[in-house]
Amino acid sequence: MMKHSSMRLDKFLVEMGIGSRSQVKEMAKKGRIRVNGAAASDTSMKISPQQDMVEADGRPVAYAAVEYYMLNKPAGVVSATEDSRYPVVTDLIETAVRRDLFPVGRLDLDTEGLLLLTNDGDLAHRLLSPRRHVDKVYEVVYEGIFPKDGARRFEEGIILEDGTRTLPAHWKQEGDRRGLLTIQEGKFHQVKRMMEVLGCRVTYLKRLSMGSLKLDAALKPGDYRPLTSEELEALKKEGAGKEQET
C-alpha cells in the first residue's frame, strides 16, 4: 500500500503561496481555512497534501512538490526572485503553484533566451556546478572584426581582463558579425567579456540551450511552459553525471 507523506497545515499553505505563517494563522481563526470540508482552526495540524482537500477562502489549494518551467527571458527583466528596480523572472510564471521558484543561473538584464525556473535546489546545484561541464550555447551578435584566430583562442581558453582564464569554449561563425558560442561556465558577463578580449562588442545576446534543454522556438520573449517529462528526465540524467576535474 502506498504511503502518503504528511506535513503541517501552515507549512503547506505557506509553500503554496497563500500567505505568511502568521497570515495563515489569522485566516484559520476567522474560519477561512477548511480541510476536507471542516473549518481548521489549528494550523499546526498534520495533513496529507496528496489525499486531503484543503480550501482557502472557498478555493481549493492545489499541491505541487516541485515545478520546472522553461522561460524565454525577455530583455529588461532580472534573473532573480526580487529586485528593487526591475521586474523579476519569477513574476512572469503566472500559473506556478509554488511560490519558492528561482532561476537556475543568471542571464544579464539585456540578455534574452532560455532560463530554467524551479524549486529543485539539488538539480539546480548539479547543473550549475563548474565541475559538471554543462554546455550553454549563446547566439552572439557583435560589432567589430572577429579575429582570424578567435575560434582557436576560445578553444585554448580566453584570459579575461582580470587575469582569469576561462574553460575551453567553442565558436561557430554564423554570418556577418554573428556567431554561436558554447561555454561551460557562468562567470559574470562572461560572454561579453570574452568577446571584448577579441576586440568585439556584444550588441545582442540570447541563450539557446543549457545541456540537453533547448529553447522552444514557439516561445516568444516573456512566454513560458512547463518542462516535458522527456526534457526533465534528460536534465536529471545530465545532472547525475560524474563531476569532472576543471
Side-chain angles (χ1 to χ4, degrees), residues 15 28 33 91 113 129 168 174 188 213 232:
E15 286 192 10
I33 306 296
D91 290 340
S129 170
E174 288 282 303
F188 184 67
L213 189 62
L232 181 56

Side-chain angles (χ1 to χ4, degrees), residues 31-244:
R32 295 165 57 191
I33 306 296
R34 303 181 78 82
V35 176
N36 298 325
S41 57
D42 181 9
T43 56
S44 67
M45 70 180 288
K46 292 291 184 72
I47 64 159
S48 168
Q50 293 84 6
Q51 286 185 312
D52 294 321
M53 174 64 160
V54 180
E55 295 173 282
D57 290 332
R59 295 182 179 180
V61 181
Y63 178 70
V66 286
E67 291 187 286
Y68 306 87
Y69 291 95
M70 174 193 298
L71 169 70
N72 185 352
K73 177 196 167 297
V77 179
V78 178
S79 300
T81 56
E82 57 182 25
D83 190 87
S84 59
R85 295 179 61 195
Y86 300 98
V88 295
V89 290
T90 47
D91 290 340
L92 299 177
I93 314 299
E94 296 177 347
T95 59
V97 173
R98 304 287 308 197
R99 291 296 178 268
D100 55 354
L101 298 182
F102 58 87
V104 178
R106 297 180 67 89
L107 292 178
D108 293 344
L109 181 66
D110 58 351
T111 299
E112 298 181 1
L114 176 68
L115 194 62
L116 172 64
L117 289 100
T118 184
N119 61 317
D120 187 340
D122 186 45
L123 177 64
H125 172 74
R126 295 199 304 269
L127 291 175
L128 293 175
S129 170
R131 291 179 176 271
R132 298 285 177 181
H133 291 197
V134 175
D135 284 346
K136 303 170 188 70
V137 181
Y138 291 83
E139 176 187 355
V140 184
V141 179
Y142 60 91
E143 291 178 346
I145 306 299
F146 192 84
K148 291 181 179 179
D149 65 346
R152 177 185 59 78
R153 291 168 66 183
F154 276 148
E155 294 285 356
E156 293 174 350
I158 289 286
I159 298 177
L160 302 177
E161 78 288 342
D162 62 358
T164 303
R165 180 184 287 276
T166 67
L167 289 176
H170 178 71
W171 174 263
K172 181 183 179 185
Q173 194 71 32
E174 288 282 303
D176 186 36
R177 292 181 174 77
R178 180 179 175 275
L180 299 179
L181 180 62
T182 303
I183 63 175
Q184 296 180 332
E185 303 168 281
K187 300 182 190 301
F188 184 67
H189 295 326
Q190 182 170 342
V191 174
K192 295 173 183 175
R193 292 162 67 197
M194 291 172 72
M195 293 294 287
E196 283 173 2
V197 171
L198 300 186
C200 299
R201 187 178 76 85
V202 174
T203 58
Y204 176 78
L205 190 59
K206 179 179 183 178
R207 183 157 67 188
L208 302 178
S209 65
M210 180 180 186
S212 61
L213 189 62
K214 293 177 172 54
L215 180 63
D216 188 332
L219 294 178
K220 297 176 182 177
D223 288 350
Y224 67 93
R225 65 163 173 79
L227 292 195
T228 65
S229 56
E230 292 80 13
E231 288 169 338
L232 181 56
E233 185 180 354
L235 267 187
K236 287 188 172 182
K237 282 182 181 176
E238 222 156 26
K242 189 176 180 181
E243 292 194 354
Q244 305 174 48

